[in-house]
């Protein structure tokens, strides 16, 4: 398969309009556009019954104790793992694109509701905001990048599309990105991906723009 975007190029920079937060010189960060990017695909293999789309940050810190702490740095070598920003399932094979902002536009405190039609899983902001009285809730669908502003590592966001041999994955009504990803195995016919970078660390952000 082939996967591409009019929003960014593979190996390029994620625009702030597609992020959860952007750099603010006065207050470190501010909320951003949080629009899902445009994505389009082709060369879907014969026998495909559905498609599944994910956005994953593999550079997310596993220990949050140093995240965004004034006077502290989140070191490059800190343990990292996957943070799921989006899981979109049951995409019919005849559908060949999603429009920018079609599934997310702006920040929804306490999270967007589960969509009708195509299924979307809970993203990992559900757990991240669980202890925040103002933001806690179920975050379904796409919510974009918000890497720590004190992180020495540039974060990468993988948009990966899978062609599947089943029309619907067996999952509970309320499922996570991790559960959806695990349910793919044994059903994948083909896959394609795009990778883009983003940082809220002002020094790293400058290097990305060069």
């Amino acid at each position: 398969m082939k996967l591409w975007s009019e929003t960014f190029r593979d190996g390029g920079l994620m625009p702030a309009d597609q992020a959860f937060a952007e750099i603010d010189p006065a207050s470190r960060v501010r909320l951003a556009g949080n629009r899902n990017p445009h994505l389009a695909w082709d060369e879907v293999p014969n026998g495909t019954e559905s498609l599944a789309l994910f956005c994953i940050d593999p550079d997310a810190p596993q220990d949050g104790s140093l995240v965004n702490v004034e006077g502290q740095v989140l070191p490059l070598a800190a343990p990292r793992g996957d943070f799921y920003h989006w899981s979109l399932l049951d995409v019919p094979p005849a559908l060949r694109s999603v429009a920018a902002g079609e599934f997310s536009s702006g920040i929804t405190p306490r999270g967007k509701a589960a969509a009708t039609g195509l299924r979307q899983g809970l993203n990992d902001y559900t757990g991240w905001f669980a202890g925040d009285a103002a933001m806690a809730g179920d975050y379904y669908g796409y919510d974009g990048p918000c890497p720590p502003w004190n992180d020495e590592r540039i974060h990468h966001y993988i948009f990966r599309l899978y062609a599947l041999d089943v029309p619907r994955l067996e999952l509970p009504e309320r499922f996570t990105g991790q559960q959806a990803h695990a349910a793919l195995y044994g059903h994948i016919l083909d896959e394609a991906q795009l990778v883009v970078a983003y940082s809220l660390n002002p020094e790293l952000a400058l290097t990305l723009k060069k």
Side-chain angles (χ1 to χ4, degrees):
M1 288 192 299
K2 291 183 179 179
L3 177 65
W4 70 92
S5 176
E6 295 174 354
T7 305
F8 45 67
R9 63 175 179 82
D10 186 29
L13 176 65
M14 174 81 81
D17 195 41
Q18 273 62 48
F20 195 93
E22 61 184 331
I23 294 172
D24 185 330
S27 60
R28 298 283 191 187
V29 299
R30 61 185 174 225
L31 297 180
N34 202 42
R35 288 164 51 84
N36 70 271
H38 164 271
L39 293 164
W41 50 89
D42 205 348
E43 300 182 14
V44 175
N46 293 334
T48 299
E49 295 289 331
S50 69
L51 300 160
L53 177 65
F54 293 82
C55 176
I56 304 169
D57 172 10
D59 298 310
Q62 296 301 283
D63 179 1
S65 62
L66 294 178
V67 170
N68 298 337
V69 177
E70 197 70 46
Q72 298 289 333
V73 171
L74 186 59
L76 189 67
R80 308 289 170 150
D82 291 339
F83 188 104
Y84 282 76
H85 286 267
W86 197 12
S87 55
L88 178 65
L89 307 184
D90 306 338
V91 179
L95 184 67
R96 294 302 168 95
S97 67
V98 296
E102 181 177 352
F103 290 94
S104 178
S105 184
I107 306 294
T108 304
R110 299 186 180 277
K112 295 183 288 296
T116 57
L118 303 182
R119 285 190 297 168
Q120 297 188 89
L122 293 165
N123 66 53
D124 284 343
Y125 284 110
T126 302
W128 180 256
F129 286 128
D132 186 329
M135 296 292 285
D138 283 348
Y139 284 73
Y140 283 94
Y142 179 84
D143 284 299
C146 186
W149 51 256
N150 63 339
D151 201 340
E152 291 186 329
R153 179 176 294 204
I154 293 171
H155 285 231
H156 297 85
Y157 298 85
I158 302 170
F159 290 85
R160 187 175 290 143
L161 182 72
Y162 294 93
L164 307 177
D165 64 1
V166 290
R168 183 178 175 89
L169 292 171
E170 293 298 324
L171 288 162
E173 182 177 349
R174 185 181 185 274
F175 63 89
T176 65
Q178 291 90 337
Q179 289 174 313
H181 201 255
L184 299 177
Y185 292 101
H187 299 294
I188 299 170
L189 299 175
D190 200 1
E191 62 187 81
Q193 71 176 32
L194 298 172
V195 182
V196 290
Y198 193 71
S199 178
L200 292 175
N201 181 325
E203 293 181 8
L204 294 182
L206 283 175
T207 67
L208 287 173
K209 292 178 180 179
K210 289 181 180 179

